[in-house]
Amino acid sequence: VAPTSAIAPILADLRLRCAAPLPVLRRVADAMASGMRAGLADDGAGELKMIPSHVYSLPTGNETGLFYALDLGGTNFRVLRVQLGGKDKRIIDTEFEQVSIPREIMHGITEDLFDFIASGLSRFVATEGDKFHLPQGRKRELGFTFSFPVNQTSIDSGILIKWTKGFAVSGTAGKDVVACLNAAMERQGLDMRVSALVNDTVGTLAGARYWDDDVMVAVILGTGTNACYIQRTEAIPKLQHLKLETGNTIINTEWGAFSDGLPLTEFDREMDDESINPGEQIFEKTISGMYLGEIVRRVLVKMAEVSDLFGHSFPKKLAEPFVLRTPHLCAMQQDTSDNLGEVESILSDVIGVSQASLLARRVTVEVSDCIIRRGGRLAGAGIIGILEKMENDSRGHIFGRRTVVAMDGGLYEKYPQYRRYMKEAVAELLGPERSNRIAIEHTKDGSGIGAALLAAANSKYA
Ligand code: ADP
């Protein structure tokens, strides 16, 4: 095994390739903006799907009454109710519950899944107390957040393209998931119907905008990533045939699929090659929580192979894909002690290197920082790409006034360095004057309430 100095060129090369200096960020932002334009012109014209939400009524704050929301996107579903009191009282009360979905239901048939959900909803409705009021003669209305690929043709219908994220329910692909849920609620004798079907990013934007009219963009940075924004209806060429009234709508960019001009390394390419979706979701694989730890692991593997950084023999656990996770990187980066004791204990627990040398600890932190910094900076460039596209649609509309970008997701929320790198990149790209007008704000769990607000803004009784 070569001496530890063999890692110096690997580290230098990594620093260089992951630096994402301002010109690279500019190129990425410009490519994001043109990808957005291509996707709005024609389905399949570019990397970005630019999916219309068919939301033509955004929450204004004037909504009143009782509304429900259901969020299905993982191994749990969440149900929520909210009593809205209009401009002054806003959210009078809200309650929620979470139900975990058994494996046999996730691998079963359509009717069983939707019956399971509808019966959970029904139990939740049964606990509705005095603080919540449904006007006489009305059905309860529900906003349905559904985080799987759907072909949506109206605010209250969408055909499932395929299940993802561990769901393998037979018979649902090709069906309208709103019709499936409405039918199951009817079978349960539950007096409720779906008024809005929304993607979680769209729900986040609606939830944030309810409190602040200047919210124009929502970005989720969690296990995966996505972004959506407010778009003028008249500037969506692929919807011209619908002869929409002029106004605002929300476009779901599905920006995780972007790849144009990203500064990638051999480690990214190898991770992509070995992934379940090679060649897809490259932006997501570069900036989101699921992958950042894995990229770092791959760099450490190469270092361990050419040097004795982690001792004379290769640490076996390091060979296991995805053992090193983003929260580990985060914990290591919070260690400001001289001897990096926390880094030592993580290296010991996670990759089985006991008493890693101080050099090994420092190198691990530096590799993590390179990957986190690149991820944060590229996320920032993506946000600027969206703002640029909006500004080009009508000058002064974004940079000439206060504009808010609503952020959510565990990675953004819990990783201070990532957040800082992202904001630094945004500030560098904007320059001091325009930076003052762009606010990047965290909205916690806005997507649940957002779906209920969209049900209210699109109420059948309005
Ligand atoms: P999801 O995206 O899965 O719906 P979240 O928005 O809560 O859920 O994001 C979870 C992701 O956030 C994790 O996959 C992880 O990458 C990241 N994360 C969670 N906790 C931390 C932490 N302490 N430090 C850094 N990143 C974290």
Side-chain angles (χ1 to χ4, degrees):
V1 180
T4 301
S5 66
I7 62 164
I10 301 176
L11 195 54
D13 194 50
L14 188 75
R15 273 194 210 118
L16 189 70
R17 283 175 197 280
C18 294
L22 194 53
V24 169
L25 296 184
R26 278 235 157 83
R27 214 166 55 226
V28 168
D30 290 348
M32 183 68 76
S34 31
M36 291 172 70
R37 267 179 228 112
L40 287 176
D42 230 328
D43 279 334
E47 291 178 331
L48 300 178
K49 285 213 193 84
M50 304 301 283
I51 301 169
S53 63
H54 295 282
V55 167
Y56 303 112
S57 306
L58 287 157
T60 59
N62 293 319
E63 295 78 11
T64 57
L66 170 62
F67 293 90
Y68 276 77
L70 162 69
D71 184 343
L72 179 67
T75 52
N76 294 297
F77 69 83
R78 272 167 49 107
V79 289
L80 163 159
R81 65 180 147 247
V82 58
Q83 184 76 35
L84 300 172
K87 265 268 161 353
D88 298 328
K89 297 199 191 123
R90 295 282 164 152
I91 293 178
I92 296 172
D93 219 316
T94 177
E95 289 175 344
F96 75 92
E97 227 171 76
Q98 184 158 310
V99 181
S100 84
I101 306 174
R103 203 191 122 84
E104 64 269 22
I105 295 283
M106 287 174 66
H107 291 240
I109 60 169
T110 304
E111 285 72 18
D112 289 351
L113 170 67
F114 285 97
D115 280 339
F116 182 79
I117 293 168
S119 80
L121 255 172
S122 192
R123 279 195 308 277
F124 182 59
V125 169
T127 65
E128 193 182 281
D130 308 338
K131 295 174 290 187
F132 300 91
H133 312 281
L134 185 72
Q136 282 270 315
R138 285 195 178 192
K139 266 179 182 272
R140 290 179 180 78
E141 293 184 274
L142 177 80
F144 183 13
T145 306
F146 187 74
S147 307
F148 299 93
V150 285
N151 243 330
Q152 196 162 359
T153 47
S154 73
I155 181 76
D156 60 358
S157 67
I159 309 287
L160 178 72
I161 298 167
K162 61 171 181 193
W163 288 112
T164 55
K165 301 189 257 189
F167 278 75
V169 179
S170 63
T172 328
K175 286 201 181 125
D176 176 5
V177 292
V178 171
C180 292
L181 181 59
N182 279 334
M185 292 192 296
E186 208 159 295
R187 285 197 293 273
Q188 292 290 325
L190 176 58
D191 203 20
M192 185 185 278
R193 71 170 162 218
V194 179
S195 296
L197 175 69
V198 301
N199 166 277
D200 59 346
T201 322
V202 172
T204 301
L205 178 45
R209 198 175 162 97
Y210 177 72
W211 297 105
D212 187 343
D213 281 339
D214 293 337
V215 173
M216 301 299 272
V217 181
V219 175
I220 294 187
L221 288 161
T223 305
T225 182
N226 195 10
C228 68
Y229 70 102
I230 306 273
Q231 166 71 55
R232 298 292 301 167
T233 49
E234 57 270 28
I236 311 175
K238 69 181 178 184
L239 293 188
Q240 286 312 302
H241 64 282
L242 296 180
K243 309 232 177 315
L244 299 170
E245 281 175 38
T246 62
N248 286 329
T249 188
I250 302 176
I251 298 287
N252 164 13
T253 64
E254 291 291 332
W255 81 354
F258 175 78
S259 74
D260 198 356
L262 296 178
L264 301 178
T265 65
E266 62 186 286
F267 308 104
D268 302 295
R269 294 205 177 82
E270 286 162 13
M271 178 179 72
D272 178 46
D273 285 346
E274 292 168 30
S275 71
I276 53 165
N277 53 351
E280 290 173 24
Q281 299 295 100
I282 304 298
F283 195 46
E284 180 162 87
K285 285 171 180 160
T286 319
I287 72 167
S288 84
M290 171 152 176
Y291 304 97
L292 297 170
E294 172 63 6
I295 303 169
V296 170
R297 185 194 68 86
R298 286 172 178 271
V299 179
L300 299 183
V301 164
K302 177 155 180 191
M303 290 178 165
E305 280 167 356
V306 301
S307 77
D308 56 3
L309 185 66
F310 296 112
H312 292 299
S313 57
F314 185 91
K316 273 206 206 72
K317 275 172 141 180
L318 184 59
E320 189 185 314
F322 293 93
V323 271
L324 187 63
R325 300 183 319 112
T326 303
H328 296 135
L329 307 188
C330 182
M332 291 194 286
Q333 284 209 271
Q334 307 320 311
D335 185 352
T336 52
S337 66
D338 286 342
N339 71 340
L340 298 175
E342 179 63 17
V343 177
E344 202 255 306
S345 87
I346 289 175
L347 288 176
S348 160
D349 294 348
V350 179
I351 64 171
V353 175
S354 61
Q355 294 177 337
S357 68
L358 190 57
L359 178 70
R361 299 175 207 178
R362 286 198 180 127
V363 167
T364 304
V365 172
E366 166 135 27
V367 170
S368 303
D369 191 61
C370 281
I371 300 303
I372 290 300
R373 183 166 178 273
R374 180 186 66 166
R377 287 176 70 79
L378 292 174
I383 292 171
I384 296 302
I386 294 179
L387 295 176
E388 249 176 31
K389 146 77 174 89
M390 296 172 84
E391 173 75 9
N392 282 343
D393 282 358
S394 70
R395 293 235 165 264
H397 187 59
I398 294 295
F399 298 135
R401 42 165 286 188
R402 176 174 181 266
T403 293
V404 178
V405 180
M407 307 292 306
D408 201 4
L411 178 62
Y412 179 80
E413 199 183 323
K414 295 187 183 139
Y415 209 139
Q417 283 86 354
Y418 184 97
R419 204 160 56 223
R420 200 185 75 222
Y421 288 137
M422 193 197 93
K423 289 187 176 182
E424 276 173 12
V426 166
E428 278 175 41
L429 281 159
L430 288 173
E433 195 190 322
R434 294 193 306 177
S435 289
N436 288 334
R437 304 207 189 94
I438 306 295
I440 296 190
E441 290 177 2
H442 180 216
T443 55
K444 178 96 188 92
D445 281 335
S447 86
I449 297 260
L453 292 167
L454 284 167
N458 294 277
S459 167
K460 311 280 180 204
Y461 301 102

